[in-house]
Amino acid sequence: MTKLRTAALSDIGHLRSQNEDRYMQDDGDGLYGVADGVGGLPGGEDAAQRAVEEVAKSVQLLPTNPDPDLATLVRKVNVGVADLGQHVSPNMGIGTTLTFGVVRDGKIFIAHVGDSRCYVARDGQIELLTRDHNVESDAQLRLQRGEVVYYHQSNRNALTRCIGQPTPPEVDVIVRPLLARERYMFCTDGVTRLIREVELGELLSANAEPAKVAQELVTLANRRGGPDNSTVVLIFVDEV
């Protein structure tokens, strides 16, 4: 039987007037993840809140078999957030990132849209499982294919996919078997823009309870200025 320890923490930071991050930590449904309302658009907190609510309701309705179809689920969530945007901000819409995992039958099913992230650490090694959906990351991918790409540095962090966009988003889905001693982290960019990957690996690998690790991560982000909201959700896999 799979045995997990989990924790979650969100903080407004030092500069923002409100927290537009939301998180999911439901041990009963095996649902964990984050959403980060898109800056520069009105209603970021509304978008993130609606996204996590829609995901939670949809996960409860998933059949036990076969494996969950998270891509279809996320596209339905996108419709819900886009519809809300027509009321909150009819001229501009609203948007949010969405990165979450569902734990079932010894596996984790991860869905990802935007630039929040999911990492896994084990035996002192950390791996980024998701790819940021922003201008810089997309340009790097196209360059690897041999394409000629131009973009302005000032736009490098602009999202190229989000929940709430008018068209159905392309959803990255990752399926992994869980392994004992793995430690998963879902987090918003208020964490990853301030803490280097090697530091994340060290903190995730520490001999500490997940709640303490989550607090250390958020505290470190704030100590380095806390310019954004910072949110982490942790899953420590003890047994599979």
Side-chain angles (χ1 to χ4, degrees):
M1 182 175 179
T2 303
K3 183 179 178 182
L4 309 175
R5 289 175 292 150
T6 70
L9 185 63
S10 184
D11 191 271
I12 193 171
H14 295 324
L15 297 183
R16 298 298 176 97
S17 60
Q18 57 191 2
N19 192 341
E20 297 188 343
D21 286 359
R22 297 293 186 271
Y23 67 80
M24 297 166 278
Q25 181 201 7
D26 188 330
D27 294 326
D29 287 329
L31 171 63
Y32 309 93
V34 297
D36 179 359
V38 174
L41 292 178
E45 71 280 9
D46 297 317
Q49 184 66 35
R50 176 60 64 90
V52 298
E53 290 174 350
E54 293 285 340
V55 170
K57 288 191 293 186
S58 297
V59 167
Q60 290 177 348
L61 298 174
L62 285 172
T64 54
N65 285 302
D67 291 347
D69 181 0
L70 295 189
T72 298
L73 185 155
V74 170
R75 292 189 188 105
K76 290 179 180 178
V77 172
N78 183 75
V79 172
V81 174
D83 287 347
L84 177 63
Q86 293 302 305
H87 299 282
V88 174
S89 175
N91 292 326
M92 299 181 65
I94 60 176
T96 181
T97 71
L98 182 63
T99 305
F100 68 94
V102 177
V103 175
R104 283 194 171 184
D105 301 322
K107 292 184 286 188
I108 186 167
F109 301 82
I110 299 167
H112 169 64
V113 175
D115 66 354
S116 295
R117 292 182 177 182
C118 179
Y119 291 88
V120 63
R122 187 172 190 264
D123 297 337
Q125 302 296 315
I126 187 170
E127 178 184 358
L128 175 60
L129 299 179
T130 53
R131 182 183 71 83
D132 294 348
H133 299 146
N134 59 28
V135 169
E136 182 176 46
S137 179
D138 285 7
Q140 290 173 349
L141 192 64
R142 292 173 62 190
L143 285 169
Q144 291 172 6
R145 297 172 182 160
E147 300 178 35
V148 178
V149 180
Y150 300 97
Y151 68 94
H152 199 283
Q153 279 293 314
S154 63
N155 295 326
R156 64 191 182 93
N157 291 321
L159 292 181
T160 52
R161 301 182 210 173
C162 73
I163 301 299
Q165 66 185 47
T167 57
E170 182 179 351
V171 184
D172 293 349
V173 175
I174 302 156
V175 182
R176 291 173 55 93
L178 294 174
L179 299 176
R181 303 191 310 279
E182 283 185 326
R183 297 184 171 188
Y184 288 84
M185 178 176 70
F186 296 89
C187 60
T188 58
D189 64 354
V191 174
T192 54
R193 289 189 185 182
L194 295 171
I195 305 176
R196 293 177 299 139
E197 191 167 289
V198 63
E199 295 176 300
L200 293 174
E202 291 170 353
L203 288 166
L204 281 177
S205 302
N207 183 21
E209 289 296 315
K212 186 175 188 299
V213 175
Q215 183 64 68
E216 290 178 348
L217 287 161
V218 169
T219 298
L220 181 56
N222 283 335
R223 191 182 303 138
R224 292 179 176 172
D228 199 356
N229 313 141
S230 56
T231 301
V232 296
V233 177
L234 302 178
I235 308 170
F236 286 13
V237 184
D238 291 336
E239 298 178 13
V240 180

